[in-house]
Amino acid sequence: MEDKTGKVITGAEILLESLMNQGVDTVFGYPGGQIIPVYDKLYDYRDDLRHILVRHEQGAIHAAQGYARVKGTPGTVIVTSGPGATNVITGVADALIDSTPVVVIAGQVPNAALGTDAFQETDLIGLTTPITKWSHQIRRAEDIAWAVARAFYIAGTGRPGPVVLDLTKDAQVGMAEYQPVKCNFIRSYVEVPKPSAEAIDEAVKMIDAAEKPFVVYGQGITISGAEKALDAFLEKGDIPAGSTLLGLSALDSDNPHYVGMVGMHGNLTPNVMTQECDLLIAVGMRFDDRVTGTVNTYAKQAKIIHIDIDASEIGKNVPVDLGLLGDAREVLEALTAKIKTRKGRGWQMERIMCDAVEKHKVIDPEIHPEEGEINPGEVIAAVAEACKGEAIVVTDVGQNQMLAARYSRFKEGRSMITSGGLGTMGFGLPAAIGAKIAAPQRKVCLFVGDGGIQMTVQELGTILQEGTGVKIVLLNNNWLGNVRQWQELFFHERYSATRMVNPDFSMIAEAYGIGCATVEERSQLQEGIDRMLADDRPFILNVHVREESMVFPMVPPGKSVDQIMLNSKDWFDYGN
């Protein structure tokens, strides 16, 4: 494209030039009446901006989330006004709670029609202000470059999150001189707060004095690029660490200091260590209720240090003894430079005991069943073994998500893409498309249930059109499995509205030109996995798994994180 700096061009062109000025090369979207001027100019930019035509706007936002989580830079969405804009709202809320950087650009009615209930008009700013870092309406072409630069700066810095730009028709068709804009400072917006030297020194004293320190880390490690800093900190202090769901893949699964995932469906070892440590160091996590169990019993024996970039998170859910405000990598590097080198704090007896119980009571029965129907956990474990921990794992929400978290293996960061805080069913398929587009050289394996895939199944059309080589492992049990599990355990087996009558997914795959293998017997599983992974084309592995599948261990609602169900009958109650 010719350099348009200093030239008078339309607002639509200014928008596209501004996106490229921010380094954007891929956008996810769906055209419509109030965004047609942008799509008309996009025709001239098709060699510079790749547009992924999704089949529903919710697919666009989730694909942008998957792209952003793998790339580490904001994903970009372009949609029309009214229903086009409201269809992305679920994904915007999801992006806010999971700290995913996305920029949504939505068309809007002409300026003169604002507030008149014109065709496909909605108050997008009013709708999205509570669930974004910034929502802004643009009414003039000359304001577009400034707004785009500001949007990407806000979305991608500090604690990342979503930004919405509402672009009226007047702004799109109006004429203005284009000047590239970069934004690296906004008054009153603190991008990265600097950690207090006094707080660092106090934390060092607490860590050096601790006999049983324990780290729980979240996605803040990945966002700040602190994977190596975390590893160095754990190595020098000889400190064990557990991950939240969104923190998975920040440490190699075989890291000697890594003891597993914490929380409701986490591993026994890190949940017990939470209740036995004398110092809990929380890094880049927000003490979600699925991590803490009942808060009034959570780590009461321990002093707590909370390291986070967002001041509003410190002390919000769990009282802490020391809040350390700052970027995770910067704080961990400062701590590592000052703490004593220690050996022998690995808590080996607790770890050996808990790992042995979990292996005998939960892991072996799940992934090495002697007979009967296929367990979903054994499918995930077999895929993980075949991928050697090198794949990007994407999940939908439900049992597939928790089992993928438990049995997947990771050797590289930014390899676990899932909807954590909002728990959005339908997230998985479009997010996997975005992840594959962000990292075309890597295997992308989606684990999804028969309920979740049907929420955004239309995005198979996007795969058909783009040829996106996603590997879809469909754990098909004819139930809304996670809700069914709760109904069995806590609602007297009253299975209300959770039984599903499903289509023939192999015929759906054939209709979309996607390879498919259906696995009904254990003897077919490995062959199906090998076939799925054999090349880069998209593929659906439709595995019929045990209908009564359950996910264990499980910390039931209202219980402490060391009061754990090992199966439907056996408990591991460490505190008693």
Side-chain angles (χ1 to χ4, degrees), residues 231 234-235 239 251-259 351 409:
D231 188 28
L234 300 176
E235 176 66 26
I239 304 172
L251 287 180
D252 188 311
S253 298
D254 294 323
N255 186 297
H257 298 283
Y258 177 66
V259 296
R351 181 171 186 177
R409 309 290 294 172

Side-chain angles (χ1 to χ4, degrees), residues 6 44 110 127 148 155 160 164 208 216 225 282 340 348 369 413 428 448 458 466 512 546 565:
D44 299 326
L127 286 168
V148 170
V164 167
D208 286 343
V216 177
K340 295 177 182 176
Q348 290 306 308
V448 61
Q458 72 279 347
E466 296 294 332
Y512 281 104
R546 186 161 54 93
M565 296 182 72

Side-chain angles (χ1 to χ4, degrees), residues 340-537:
K340 295 177 182 176
T341 300
R342 297 283 292 266
K343 293 295 178 187
R345 296 203 298 192
W347 299 39
Q348 290 306 308
M349 291 309 298
E350 284 91 342
R351 181 171 186 177
I352 291 169
M353 181 268 291
C354 294
D355 285 353
V357 171
E358 186 166 353
K359 183 176 187 299
H360 174 68
K361 285 287 189 178
V362 183
I363 297 174
D364 283 346
E366 176 68 24
I367 69 174
H368 300 300
E370 296 180 359
E371 58 184 11
E373 297 173 280
I374 301 170
N375 289 334
E378 70 178 293
V379 179
I380 294 163
V383 172
E385 177 68 23
C387 291
K388 304 186 187 305
E390 296 173 353
I392 295 173
V393 174
V394 185
T395 84
D396 205 77
V397 168
Q399 290 181 321
N400 65 87
Q401 177 186 37
M402 295 296 99
L403 290 166
R406 282 186 51 77
Y407 294 110
S408 295
R409 309 290 294 172
F410 303 103
K411 289 189 175 298
E412 187 175 339
R414 294 192 176 276
S415 294
M416 179 61 170
I417 312 300
T418 192
S419 170
L422 199 64
T424 306
M425 287 182 68
F427 172 89
L429 180 57
I433 295 170
K436 183 64 176 178
I437 290 170
Q441 77 285 0
R442 296 187 64 189
K443 294 283 187 189
V444 174
C445 293
L446 166 66
F447 296 101
V448 61
D450 43 324
I453 196 171
Q454 292 183 82
M455 285 196 167
T456 49
V457 71
Q458 72 279 347
E459 298 311 325
L460 293 176
T462 305
I463 290 176
L464 170 65
Q465 184 160 340
E466 296 294 332
T468 314
V470 174
K471 310 302 180 184
I472 301 167
V473 182
L474 173 58
L475 302 172
N476 187 351
N477 67 355
N478 300 297
W479 288 89
L480 296 176
N482 207 44
V483 180
R484 183 207 168 280
Q485 175 167 336
W486 281 57
Q487 288 172 335
E488 178 175 331
L489 294 175
F490 311 122
F491 291 88
H492 310 291
E493 301 182 14
R494 292 161 59 87
Y495 301 121
S496 176
T498 45
R499 179 69 178 177
M500 300 196 72
V501 176
N502 287 326
D504 186 333
F505 289 104
S506 64
M507 294 183 70
I508 291 175
E510 182 179 358
Y512 281 104
I514 297 172
C516 181
T518 297
V519 174
E520 296 179 315
E521 303 290 339
R522 185 167 286 108
S523 60
Q524 302 170 322
L525 179 59
Q526 192 58 53
E527 180 184 352
I529 292 171
D530 293 342
R531 182 180 165 195
M532 176 182 71
L533 297 176
D535 59 48
D536 283 336
R537 288 176 291 184

Side-chain angles (χ1 to χ4, degrees), residues 282-298:
V283 190
M285 54 86 77
R286 57 188 181 83
F287 291 109
D288 177 79
D289 59 284
R290 292 297 174 99
V291 167
T292 63
T294 181
V295 175
N296 61 11
T297 63
Y298 182 78

Side-chain angles (χ1 to χ4, degrees), residues 268-284:
L268 266 63
T269 297
N271 280 341
V272 167
M273 285 184 164
T274 299
Q275 301 300 86
E276 282 291 296
C277 66
D278 57 4
L279 177 65
L280 180 66
I281 307 164
V283 190

